[in-house]
mmCIF file of all heavy atoms in Angstrom:
data_model
loop_
_atom_site.group_PDB
_atom_site.id
_atom_site.type_symbol
_atom_site.label_atom_id
_atom_site.label_comp_id
_atom_site.label_asym_id
_atom_site.label_seq_id
_atom_site.Cartn_x
_atom_site.Cartn_y
_atom_site.Cartn_z
ATOM 1 N N LEU V 17 0.794 -1.175 -0.018
ATOM 2 C CA LEU V 17 0.027 0.010 0.022
ATOM 3 C C LEU V 17 0.864 1.248 -0.013
ATOM 4 O O LEU V 17 0.458 2.316 -0.451
ATOM 5 C CB LEU V 17 -0.944 -0.007 1.221
ATOM 6 C CG LEU V 17 -1.951 -1.168 1.253
ATOM 7 C CD1 LEU V 17 -2.766 -1.124 2.594
ATOM 8 C CD2 LEU V 17 -2.850 -1.153 0.099
ATOM 9 N N GLY V 18 2.105 1.186 0.473
ATOM 10 C CA GLY V 18 2.887 2.413 0.480
ATOM 11 C C GLY V 18 3.334 2.970 -0.931
ATOM 12 O O GLY V 18 3.496 4.144 -1.098
ATOM 13 N N GLY V 19 3.347 2.294 -2.133
ATOM 14 C CA GLY V 19 3.807 2.756 -3.502
ATOM 15 C C GLY V 19 2.667 3.135 -4.432
ATOM 16 O O GLY V 19 2.863 3.564 -5.560
ATOM 17 N N GLY V 20 1.439 3.198 -4.097
ATOM 18 C CA GLY V 20 0.251 3.479 -4.959
ATOM 19 C C GLY V 20 0.220 4.965 -5.405
ATOM 20 O O GLY V 20 -0.085 5.245 -6.535
ATOM 21 N N LYS V 21 0.494 5.893 -4.593
ATOM 22 C CA LYS V 21 0.401 7.310 -4.927
ATOM 23 C C LYS V 21 1.443 7.693 -6.007
ATOM 24 O O LYS V 21 1.186 8.509 -6.902
ATOM 25 C CB LYS V 21 0.630 8.140 -3.713
ATOM 26 C CG LYS V 21 -0.564 8.080 -2.759
ATOM 27 C CD LYS V 21 -0.316 8.965 -1.584
ATOM 28 C CE LYS V 21 -1.457 8.886 -0.563
ATOM 29 N NZ LYS V 21 -1.276 9.791 0.573
ATOM 30 N N ASN V 22 2.596 7.181 -6.040
ATOM 31 C CA ASN V 22 3.624 7.537 -7.032
ATOM 32 C C ASN V 22 3.263 7.040 -8.425
ATOM 33 O O ASN V 22 3.503 7.723 -9.431
ATOM 34 C CB ASN V 22 4.926 6.893 -6.644
ATOM 35 C CG ASN V 22 5.560 7.620 -5.418
ATOM 36 O OD1 ASN V 22 5.259 8.743 -5.163
ATOM 37 N ND2 ASN V 22 6.340 6.826 -4.618
ATOM 38 N N GLU V 23 2.610 5.880 -8.497
ATOM 39 C CA GLU V 23 2.241 5.381 -9.808
ATOM 40 C C GLU V 23 1.147 6.232 -10.437
ATOM 41 O O GLU V 23 1.140 6.531 -11.614
ATOM 42 C CB GLU V 23 1.734 3.890 -9.617
ATOM 43 C CG GLU V 23 2.786 2.939 -9.252
ATOM 44 C CD GLU V 23 3.753 2.816 -10.392
ATOM 45 O OE1 GLU V 23 3.346 2.975 -11.608
ATOM 46 O OE2 GLU V 23 4.944 2.506 -10.165
ATOM 47 N N GLU V 24 0.223 6.700 -9.577
ATOM 48 C CA GLU V 24 -0.835 7.525 -10.093
ATOM 49 C C GLU V 24 -0.343 8.902 -10.625
ATOM 50 O O GLU V 24 -0.741 9.423 -11.600
ATOM 51 C CB GLU V 24 -1.907 7.719 -8.975
ATOM 52 C CG GLU V 24 -3.137 8.480 -9.471
ATOM 53 C CD GLU V 24 -4.139 8.557 -8.315
ATOM 54 O OE1 GLU V 24 -3.970 7.975 -7.230
ATOM 55 O OE2 GLU V 24 -5.170 9.156 -8.581
ATOM 56 N N LYS V 25 0.603 9.432 -9.896
ATOM 57 C CA LYS V 25 1.213 10.700 -10.303
ATOM 58 C C LYS V 25 1.921 10.592 -11.656
ATOM 59 O O LYS V 25 1.897 11.459 -12.497
ATOM 60 C CB LYS V 25 2.177 11.168 -9.184
ATOM 61 C CG LYS V 25 2.751 12.545 -9.429
ATOM 62 C CD LYS V 25 3.654 12.894 -8.310
ATOM 63 C CE LYS V 25 4.263 14.254 -8.464
ATOM 64 N NZ LYS V 25 5.148 14.642 -7.293
ATOM 65 N N LYS V 26 2.622 9.496 -11.805
ATOM 66 C CA LYS V 26 3.381 9.218 -13.026
ATOM 67 C C LYS V 26 2.428 9.189 -14.197
ATOM 68 O O LYS V 26 2.715 9.644 -15.312
ATOM 69 C CB LYS V 26 4.186 7.973 -12.806
ATOM 70 C CG LYS V 26 5.162 7.655 -13.969
ATOM 71 C CD LYS V 26 5.995 6.450 -13.612
ATOM 72 C CE LYS V 26 6.911 6.094 -14.699
ATOM 73 N NZ LYS V 26 7.703 4.908 -14.395
ATOM 74 N N LYS V 27 1.295 8.528 -13.954
ATOM 75 C CA LYS V 27 0.315 8.377 -14.986
ATOM 76 C C LYS V 27 -0.146 9.725 -15.525
ATOM 77 O O LYS V 27 -0.313 9.944 -16.726
ATOM 78 C CB LYS V 27 -0.834 7.541 -14.411
ATOM 79 C CG LYS V 27 -1.998 7.282 -15.417
ATOM 80 C CD LYS V 27 -3.074 6.416 -14.747
ATOM 81 C CE LYS V 27 -4.282 6.231 -15.679
ATOM 82 N NZ LYS V 27 -5.321 5.447 -14.995
ATOM 83 N N TYR V 28 -0.424 10.649 -14.582
ATOM 84 C CA TYR V 28 -0.954 11.966 -14.988
ATOM 85 C C TYR V 28 0.078 12.747 -15.731
ATOM 86 O O TYR V 28 -0.154 13.497 -16.648
ATOM 87 C CB TYR V 28 -1.346 12.761 -13.745
ATOM 88 C CG TYR V 28 -2.740 12.276 -13.162
ATOM 89 C CD1 TYR V 28 -2.806 11.755 -11.925
ATOM 90 C CD2 TYR V 28 -3.890 12.413 -14.015
ATOM 91 C CE1 TYR V 28 -4.042 11.373 -11.429
ATOM 92 C CE2 TYR V 28 -5.069 11.967 -13.478
ATOM 93 C CZ TYR V 28 -5.174 11.475 -12.234
ATOM 94 O OH TYR V 28 -6.414 11.044 -11.754
ATOM 95 N N ILE V 29 1.343 12.542 -15.363
ATOM 96 C CA ILE V 29 2.411 13.215 -16.107
ATOM 97 C C ILE V 29 2.518 12.796 -17.577
ATOM 98 O O ILE V 29 2.611 13.608 -18.495
ATOM 99 C CB ILE V 29 3.789 13.004 -15.386
ATOM 100 C CG1 ILE V 29 3.801 13.731 -14.047
ATOM 101 C CG2 ILE V 29 4.976 13.479 -16.249
ATOM 102 C CD1 ILE V 29 5.001 13.422 -13.174
ATOM 103 N N ILE V 30 2.369 11.524 -17.748
ATOM 104 C CA ILE V 30 2.423 10.899 -19.080
ATOM 105 C C ILE V 30 1.263 11.436 -19.933
ATOM 106 O O ILE V 30 1.433 11.869 -21.084
ATOM 107 C CB ILE V 30 2.450 9.390 -19.052
ATOM 108 C CG1 ILE V 30 3.765 8.902 -18.442
ATOM 109 C CG2 ILE V 30 2.274 8.844 -20.456
ATOM 110 C CD1 ILE V 30 3.824 7.412 -18.137
ATOM 111 N N ILE V 31 0.117 11.481 -19.299
ATOM 112 C CA ILE V 31 -1.068 11.956 -19.987
ATOM 113 C C ILE V 31 -0.912 13.404 -20.410
ATOM 114 O O ILE V 31 -1.172 13.878 -21.516
ATOM 115 C CB ILE V 31 -2.332 11.747 -19.144
ATOM 116 C CG1 ILE V 31 -2.624 10.269 -19.004
ATOM 117 C CG2 ILE V 31 -3.543 12.487 -19.747
ATOM 118 C CD1 ILE V 31 -3.752 9.909 -17.970
ATOM 119 N N GLY V 32 -0.353 14.171 -19.456
ATOM 120 C CA GLY V 32 -0.123 15.642 -19.802
ATOM 121 C C GLY V 32 0.852 15.847 -20.940
ATOM 122 O O GLY V 32 0.631 16.745 -21.786
ATOM 123 N N VAL V 33 1.900 15.020 -20.925
ATOM 124 C CA VAL V 33 2.893 15.182 -22.021
ATOM 125 C C VAL V 33 2.307 14.824 -23.362
ATOM 126 O O VAL V 33 2.477 15.497 -24.363
ATOM 127 C CB VAL V 33 4.094 14.290 -21.759
ATOM 128 C CG1 VAL V 33 5.036 14.259 -22.989
ATOM 129 C CG2 VAL V 33 4.912 14.772 -20.568
ATOM 130 N N LEU V 34 1.440 13.727 -23.307
ATOM 131 C CA LEU V 34 0.764 13.356 -24.565
ATOM 132 C C LEU V 34 -0.196 14.448 -25.065
ATOM 133 O O LEU V 34 -0.228 14.751 -26.293
ATOM 134 C CB LEU V 34 -0.014 12.039 -24.331
ATOM 135 C CG LEU V 34 0.840 10.763 -24.192
ATOM 136 C CD1 LEU V 34 -0.051 9.528 -23.751
ATOM 137 C CD2 LEU V 34 1.653 10.502 -25.392
ATOM 138 N N VAL V 35 -0.891 15.042 -24.159
ATOM 139 C CA VAL V 35 -1.824 16.171 -24.586
ATOM 140 C C VAL V 35 -1.039 17.285 -25.167
ATOM 141 O O VAL V 35 -1.402 17.896 -26.155
ATOM 142 C CB VAL V 35 -2.636 16.601 -23.364
ATOM 143 C CG1 VAL V 35 -3.430 17.872 -23.678
ATOM 144 C CG2 VAL V 35 -3.595 15.461 -22.923
ATOM 145 N N LEU V 36 0.124 17.585 -24.538
ATOM 146 C CA LEU V 36 0.961 18.699 -25.027
ATOM 147 C C LEU V 36 1.458 18.413 -26.425
ATOM 148 O O LEU V 36 1.476 19.304 -27.320
ATOM 149 C CB LEU V 36 2.044 18.946 -24.056
ATOM 150 C CG LEU V 36 3.018 20.158 -24.430
ATOM 151 C CD1 LEU V 36 2.236 21.408 -24.546
ATOM 152 C CD2 LEU V 36 4.135 20.240 -23.403
ATOM 153 N N VAL V 37 1.927 17.185 -26.607
ATOM 154 C CA VAL V 37 2.441 16.825 -27.915
ATOM 155 C C VAL V 37 1.386 16.866 -28.936
ATOM 156 O O VAL V 37 1.579 17.383 -30.107
ATOM 157 C CB VAL V 37 3.097 15.451 -27.865
ATOM 158 C CG1 VAL V 37 3.471 14.916 -29.250
ATOM 159 C CG2 VAL V 37 4.364 15.450 -26.942
ATOM 160 N N ILE V 38 0.213 16.357 -28.589
ATOM 161 C CA ILE V 38 -0.927 16.335 -29.528
ATOM 162 C C ILE V 38 -1.315 17.772 -29.884
ATOM 163 O O ILE V 38 -1.555 18.125 -31.052
ATOM 164 C CB ILE V 38 -2.088 15.523 -29.034
ATOM 165 C CG1 ILE V 38 -1.742 14.058 -28.935
ATOM 166 C CG2 ILE V 38 -3.381 15.750 -29.838
ATOM 167 C CD1 ILE V 38 -2.738 13.196 -28.179
ATOM 168 N N GLY V 39 -1.359 18.629 -28.897
ATOM 169 C CA GLY V 39 -1.716 20.040 -29.151
ATOM 170 C C GLY V 39 -0.694 20.658 -30.065
ATOM 171 O O GLY V 39 -1.038 21.503 -30.939
ATOM 172 N N CYS V 40 0.568 20.379 -29.815
ATOM 173 C CA CYS V 40 1.607 20.999 -30.725
ATOM 174 C C CYS V 40 1.470 20.509 -32.172
ATOM 175 O O CYS V 40 1.610 21.293 -33.127
ATOM 176 C CB CYS V 40 2.996 20.638 -30.212
ATOM 177 S SG CYS V 40 3.406 21.510 -28.687
ATOM 178 N N LEU V 41 1.201 19.211 -32.232
ATOM 179 C CA LEU V 41 0.970 18.632 -33.602
ATOM 180 C C LEU V 41 -0.199 19.291 -34.285
ATOM 181 O O LEU V 41 -0.161 19.633 -35.514
ATOM 182 C CB LEU V 41 0.870 17.145 -33.533
ATOM 183 C CG LEU V 41 2.098 16.368 -33.099
ATOM 184 C CD1 LEU V 41 1.808 14.901 -32.925
ATOM 185 C CD2 LEU V 41 3.247 16.538 -34.110
ATOM 186 N N ILE V 42 -1.262 19.452 -33.545
ATOM 187 C CA ILE V 42 -2.494 20.042 -34.153
ATOM 188 C C ILE V 42 -2.212 21.520 -34.568
ATOM 189 O O ILE V 42 -2.628 21.971 -35.627
ATOM 190 C CB ILE V 42 -3.695 19.959 -33.066
ATOM 191 C CG1 ILE V 42 -4.094 18.495 -32.959
ATOM 192 C CG2 ILE V 42 -4.863 20.830 -33.630
ATOM 193 C CD1 ILE V 42 -5.123 18.305 -31.832
ATOM 194 N N GLY V 43 -1.568 22.228 -33.682
ATOM 195 C CA GLY V 43 -1.238 23.617 -34.029
ATOM 196 C C GLY V 43 -0.323 23.755 -35.230
ATOM 197 O O GLY V 43 -0.481 24.644 -36.071
ATOM 198 N N LEU V 44 0.708 22.816 -35.251
ATOM 199 C CA LEU V 44 1.569 22.840 -36.427
ATOM 200 C C LEU V 44 0.813 22.521 -37.739
ATOM 201 O O LEU V 44 1.054 23.140 -38.747
ATOM 202 C CB LEU V 44 2.722 21.833 -36.222
ATOM 203 C CG LEU V 44 3.768 21.782 -37.296
ATOM 204 C CD1 LEU V 44 4.465 23.117 -37.413
ATOM 205 C CD2 LEU V 44 4.811 20.710 -36.924
ATOM 206 N N TYR V 45 -0.066 21.611 -37.621
ATOM 207 C CA TYR V 45 -0.911 21.245 -38.771
ATOM 208 C C TYR V 45 -1.782 22.412 -39.237
ATOM 209 O O TYR V 45 -1.842 22.742 -40.451
ATOM 210 C CB TYR V 45 -1.824 20.036 -38.424
ATOM 211 C CG TYR V 45 -2.820 19.724 -39.484
ATOM 212 C CD1 TYR V 45 -2.419 19.039 -40.683
ATOM 213 C CD2 TYR V 45 -4.188 20.073 -39.333
ATOM 214 C CE1 TYR V 45 -3.328 18.686 -41.634
ATOM 215 C CE2 TYR V 45 -5.120 19.771 -40.331
ATOM 216 C CZ TYR V 45 -4.712 19.056 -41.456
ATOM 217 O OH TYR V 45 -5.597 18.815 -42.429
ATOM 218 N N ILE V 46 -2.357 23.020 -38.292
ATOM 219 C CA ILE V 46 -3.267 24.204 -38.686
ATOM 220 C C ILE V 46 -2.386 25.330 -39.223
ATOM 221 O O ILE V 46 -2.774 25.964 -40.260
ATOM 222 C CB ILE V 46 -3.971 24.687 -37.393
ATOM 223 C CG1 ILE V 46 -4.950 23.615 -36.940
ATOM 224 C CG2 ILE V 46 -4.697 26.007 -37.699
ATOM 225 C CD1 ILE V 46 -5.653 23.929 -35.655
ATOM 226 N N PHE V 47 -1.237 25.584 -38.734
ATOM 227 C CA PHE V 47 -0.358 26.628 -39.237
ATOM 228 C C PHE V 47 0.093 26.320 -40.628
ATOM 229 O O PHE V 47 0.050 27.186 -41.527
ATOM 230 C CB PHE V 47 0.864 26.782 -38.301
ATOM 231 C CG PHE V 47 1.829 27.747 -38.778
ATOM 232 C CD1 PHE V 47 1.645 29.148 -38.602
ATOM 233 C CD2 PHE V 47 3.035 27.385 -39.465
ATOM 234 C CE1 PHE V 47 2.576 30.064 -39.066
ATOM 235 C CE2 PHE V 47 3.941 28.277 -39.918
ATOM 236 C CZ PHE V 47 3.710 29.600 -39.729
ATOM 237 N N ASN V 48 0.508 25.077 -40.855
ATOM 238 C CA ASN V 48 0.955 24.664 -42.163
ATOM 239 C C ASN V 48 -0.138 24.750 -43.207
ATOM 240 O O ASN V 48 0.033 25.154 -44.340
ATOM 241 C CB ASN V 48 1.560 23.240 -42.180
ATOM 242 C CG ASN V 48 2.895 23.259 -41.468
ATOM 243 O OD1 ASN V 48 3.633 24.259 -41.368
ATOM 244 N ND2 ASN V 48 3.308 22.114 -40.941
ATOM 245 N N LYS V 49 -1.349 24.376 -42.792
ATOM 246 C CA LYS V 49 -2.506 24.390 -43.684
ATOM 247 C C LYS V 49 -2.835 25.831 -44.066
ATOM 248 O O LYS V 49 -3.154 26.177 -45.224
ATOM 249 C CB LYS V 49 -3.688 23.751 -43.015
ATOM 250 C CG LYS V 49 -4.921 23.619 -43.933
ATOM 251 C CD LYS V 49 -6.036 22.815 -43.265
ATOM 252 C CE LYS V 49 -7.243 22.635 -44.220
ATOM 253 N NZ LYS V 49 -6.920 21.917 -45.380
ATOM 254 N N LYS V 50 -2.749 26.811 -43.130
ATOM 255 C CA LYS V 50 -3.023 28.185 -43.399
ATOM 256 C C LYS V 50 -2.006 28.784 -44.321
ATOM 257 O O LYS V 50 -2.300 29.495 -45.253
ATOM 258 C CB LYS V 50 -3.106 28.944 -42.030
ATOM 259 C CG LYS V 50 -3.481 30.411 -42.275
ATOM 260 C CD LYS V 50 -3.563 31.092 -40.880
ATOM 261 C CE LYS V 50 -3.901 32.571 -41.028
ATOM 262 N NZ LYS V 50 -3.997 33.235 -39.722
ATOM 263 N N ASP V 51 -0.733 28.460 -44.100
ATOM 264 C CA ASP V 51 0.339 28.946 -44.901
ATOM 265 C C ASP V 51 0.205 28.468 -46.330
ATOM 266 O O ASP V 51 0.413 29.186 -47.285
ATOM 267 C CB ASP V 51 1.686 28.546 -44.305
ATOM 268 C CG ASP V 51 2.841 29.209 -45.042
ATOM 269 O OD1 ASP V 51 2.874 30.464 -45.077
ATOM 270 O OD2 ASP V 51 3.693 28.522 -45.641
ATOM 271 N N ASN V 52 -0.179 27.174 -46.477
ATOM 272 C CA ASN V 52 -0.378 26.587 -47.798
ATOM 273 C C ASN V 52 -1.526 27.316 -48.535
ATOM 274 O O ASN V 52 -1.506 27.498 -49.697
ATOM 275 C CB ASN V 52 -0.559 25.056 -47.699
ATOM 276 C CG ASN V 52 0.727 24.365 -47.373
ATOM 277 O OD1 ASN V 52 1.835 24.867 -47.625
ATOM 278 N ND2 ASN V 52 0.583 23.144 -46.764
ATOM 279 N N THR V 53 -2.535 27.629 -47.709
ATOM 280 C CA THR V 53 -3.668 28.293 -48.341
ATOM 281 C C THR V 53 -3.301 29.670 -48.846
ATOM 282 O O THR V 53 -3.670 30.094 -49.997
ATOM 283 C CB THR V 53 -4.762 28.455 -47.296
ATOM 284 O OG1 THR V 53 -5.198 27.204 -46.835
ATOM 285 C CG2 THR V 53 -6.040 29.164 -47.896
ATOM 286 N N ASN V 54 -2.450 30.402 -48.155
ATOM 287 C CA ASN V 54 -1.968 31.741 -48.595
ATOM 288 C C ASN V 54 -1.170 31.580 -49.825
ATOM 289 O O ASN V 54 -1.211 32.406 -50.739
ATOM 290 C CB ASN V 54 -1.115 32.403 -47.484
ATOM 291 C CG ASN V 54 -2.084 32.900 -46.334
ATOM 292 O OD1 ASN V 54 -3.288 33.096 -46.536
ATOM 293 N ND2 ASN V 54 -1.416 33.066 -45.159
ATOM 294 N N ASN V 55 -0.277 30.529 -49.826
ATOM 295 C CA ASN V 55 0.530 30.293 -51.023
ATOM 296 C C ASN V 55 -0.291 30.006 -52.247
ATOM 297 O O ASN V 55 -0.029 30.401 -53.355
ATOM 298 C CB ASN V 55 1.492 29.158 -50.789
ATOM 299 C CG ASN V 55 2.613 29.563 -49.845
ATOM 300 O OD1 ASN V 55 2.954 30.742 -49.744
ATOM 301 N ND2 ASN V 55 3.221 28.587 -49.169
ATOM 302 N N ASP V 56 -1.348 29.200 -52.018
ATOM 303 C CA ASP V 56 -2.290 28.903 -53.082
ATOM 304 C C ASP V 56 -2.922 30.144 -53.621
ATOM 305 O O ASP V 56 -3.053 30.339 -54.833
ATOM 306 C CB ASP V 56 -3.365 27.914 -52.642
ATOM 307 C CG ASP V 56 -2.800 26.512 -52.402
ATOM 308 O OD1 ASP V 56 -1.688 26.258 -52.933
ATOM 309 O OD2 ASP V 56 -3.449 25.660 -51.759
ATOM 310 N N LYS V 57 -3.287 31.078 -52.713
ATOM 311 C CA LYS V 57 -3.863 32.361 -53.122
ATOM 312 C C LYS V 57 -2.880 33.179 -53.979
ATOM 313 O O LYS V 57 -3.281 33.899 -54.882
ATOM 314 C CB LYS V 57 -4.378 33.126 -51.951
ATOM 315 C CG LYS V 57 -5.629 32.621 -51.314
ATOM 316 C CD LYS V 57 -6.050 33.472 -50.135
ATOM 317 C CE LYS V 57 -7.342 32.940 -49.527
ATOM 318 N NZ LYS V 57 -7.843 33.820 -48.425
ATOM 319 N N GLN V 58 -1.605 33.124 -53.614
ATOM 320 C CA GLN V 58 -0.633 33.919 -54.279
ATOM 321 C C GLN V 58 -0.270 33.414 -55.659
ATOM 322 O O GLN V 58 -0.156 34.125 -56.571
ATOM 323 C CB GLN V 58 0.636 34.050 -53.461
ATOM 324 C CG GLN V 58 1.756 34.890 -54.103
ATOM 325 C CD GLN V 58 2.978 34.990 -53.176
ATOM 326 O OE1 GLN V 58 2.785 34.752 -51.965
ATOM 327 N NE2 GLN V 58 4.053 35.293 -53.768
ATOM 328 N N VAL V 59 -0.217 32.114 -55.814
ATOM 329 C CA VAL V 59 0.235 31.528 -57.077
ATOM 330 C C VAL V 59 -0.978 31.291 -57.991
ATOM 331 O O VAL V 59 -0.870 31.538 -59.171
ATOM 332 C CB VAL V 59 0.900 30.156 -56.782
ATOM 333 C CG1 VAL V 59 1.258 29.456 -58.114
ATOM 334 C CG2 VAL V 59 2.137 30.356 -55.951
ATOM 335 N N LYS V 60 -2.086 31.014 -57.480
ATOM 336 C CA LYS V 60 -3.253 30.765 -58.295
ATOM 337 C C LYS V 60 -3.812 32.134 -58.717
ATOM 338 O O LYS V 60 -4.379 32.847 -57.830
ATOM 339 C CB LYS V 60 -4.300 29.942 -57.524
ATOM 340 C CG LYS V 60 -5.454 29.541 -58.490
ATOM 341 C CD LYS V 60 -6.383 28.624 -57.710
ATOM 342 C CE LYS V 60 -7.547 28.153 -58.602
ATOM 343 N NZ LYS V 60 -8.438 27.283 -57.839
#
């Protein structure tokens, strides 16, 4: 019973990192999509 709290804390840290990575990936995707749209407007 003495090691249960550490495991739960570790779990939340991992989840937080995953959320942060996913958020960065989503932001990067949106940024790239917007930039490509501007390029399309300039060339087309």
Side-chain angles (χ1 to χ4, degrees):
L17 297 176
K21 290 183 180 181
N22 290 332
E23 290 295 332
E24 185 175 356
K25 186 178 180 180
K26 187 176 181 179
K27 177 179 178 182
Y28 283 118
I29 290 172
I30 293 171
I31 292 171
V33 171
L34 290 173
V35 171
L36 180 60
V37 170
I38 292 171
C40 289
L41 292 173
I42 292 173
L44 182 62
Y45 172 77
I46 293 173
F47 176 80
N48 288 335
K49 185 173 182 62
K50 183 177 180 180
D51 187 60
N52 288 336
T53 301
N54 288 338
N55 287 338
D56 288 342
K57 285 183 179 181
Q58 180 177 339
V59 176
K60 187 177 182 180

